[in-house]
Amino acid sequence: MLKSTLLALSLTTVSFVLGTPAFAQESPTEVTATPVDPARLKAAENVVIKLVPPGTYQRIMKDMMDTMASGIVDQMLGMDPAVMAAMAGDEANGAVAGKTLEQLAAERDPYFRERMDIMMKVMFTEMGAMMVELEPEVRTALSSIYAKKYTLAELNDIGAFFATPSGESFAGNFMSTFTDKELMQASFGMMPKIMEAMPAIMKKVEAATAHLPPPPKPSTETTEQ
């Protein structure tokens, strides 16, 4: 459970930083292509290349790995399992009382921390290498989005700002801001409040779906082929 939880946190963080263009594109059959003004698209491309220059995501992956290794993982592993159980609407059993997630994991696997550190390093390293190939798709998607959301005048204004020393500095650091240790720690610090609120939220979900038949229970019977 702990390994999958940490992996989920890592992937959530990655998804947040990378955004949806490369990971949640709808298939062409589901999207009606909207014509884009070539002039606006060109202006958008000039803006996006400043925001996402080549090598951006590989650098972000390294920054994320360093940030996760420098305290974020320790914060998570130091959490009380009872808090996570409460989030799921369950009660923690007595075996977890007074212990952290890392202590519980180490009881089952003495090499847990070393195994986890290796997993994180390999995952972020491999994803960084993968993003070298995916990065152009991100720029293409963002350029199309910007060309539709902003007018040519707005794109030219943004491009003119990015051409200044201050604008170039802002654009070059924009994406890496989301992997800054301070921001990630602030985001992680929200988790206890989210977990605390989750039982009440789930009760509201139950009330809102009370008019529906209960979901079917998983079948325990096996079907012979």
Side-chain angles (χ1 to χ4, degrees):
M1 173 186 173
L2 179 56
K3 182 176 179 180
S4 60
T5 301
L6 184 56
L7 180 59
L9 173 65
S10 303
L11 293 176
T12 299
T13 306
V14 170
S15 299
F16 170 70
V17 174
L18 297 182
T20 58
F23 293 93
Q25 296 184 53
E26 297 177 83
S27 66
T29 57
E30 298 175 348
V31 177
T32 301
T34 302
V36 179
D37 176 30
R40 289 172 66 175
L41 182 59
K42 180 60 178 179
E45 290 172 348
N46 292 336
V47 167
V48 170
I49 194 64
K50 293 287 188 178
L51 291 171
V52 192
T56 294
Y57 281 122
Q58 192 167 35
R59 185 171 66 253
I60 283 176
M61 288 299 162
K62 182 182 182 305
D63 291 344
M64 287 180 64
M65 181 175 67
D66 294 342
T67 300
M68 296 289 283
S70 64
I72 299 297
V73 172
D74 289 331
Q75 284 183 262
M76 180 176 179
L77 295 178
M79 290 178 62
D80 184 345
V83 175
M84 299 187 72
M87 178 181 176
D90 300 325
E91 293 185 4
N93 58 50
V96 305
K99 299 178 181 179
T100 65
L101 289 173
E102 183 166 16
Q103 289 171 332
L104 293 172
E107 290 177 359
R108 300 179 58 184
D109 177 11
Y111 298 97
F112 166 78
R113 188 53 187 262
E114 182 179 1
R115 201 184 312 278
M116 183 62 63
D117 289 342
I118 292 173
M119 182 195 78
M120 297 288 290
K121 181 177 181 179
V122 171
M123 182 179 72
F124 282 111
T125 298
E126 291 302 311
M127 290 190 71
M130 179 181 67
M131 285 311 301
V132 172
E133 299 179 11
L134 296 180
E135 195 173 81
E137 297 181 27
V138 174
R139 282 192 288 271
T140 297
L142 282 176
S143 296
S144 178
I145 292 170
Y146 279 28
K148 297 171 185 175
K149 286 185 176 293
Y150 300 102
T151 66
L152 180 59
E154 290 171 334
L155 290 167
N156 286 335
D157 285 346
I158 296 170
F161 172 59
F162 285 174
T164 67
S166 297
E168 184 176 7
S169 177
F170 172 82
N173 291 294
F174 177 73
M175 297 297 293
S176 62
T177 300
F178 295 103
T179 58
D180 186 273
K181 181 179 179 179
E182 186 174 352
L183 179 59
M184 292 184 68
Q185 286 182 330
S187 299
F188 187 81
M190 302 175 189
M191 288 187 64
K193 292 183 179 180
I194 295 174
M195 291 180 174
E196 182 180 350
M198 193 57 64
I201 293 174
M202 293 309 300
K203 286 184 179 179
K204 291 183 178 181
V205 170
E206 291 177 5
T209 58
H211 64 288
L212 298 174
K217 296 182 179 179
S219 175
T220 57
E221 298 180 1
T222 58
T223 303
E224 296 183 4
Q225 300 294 329

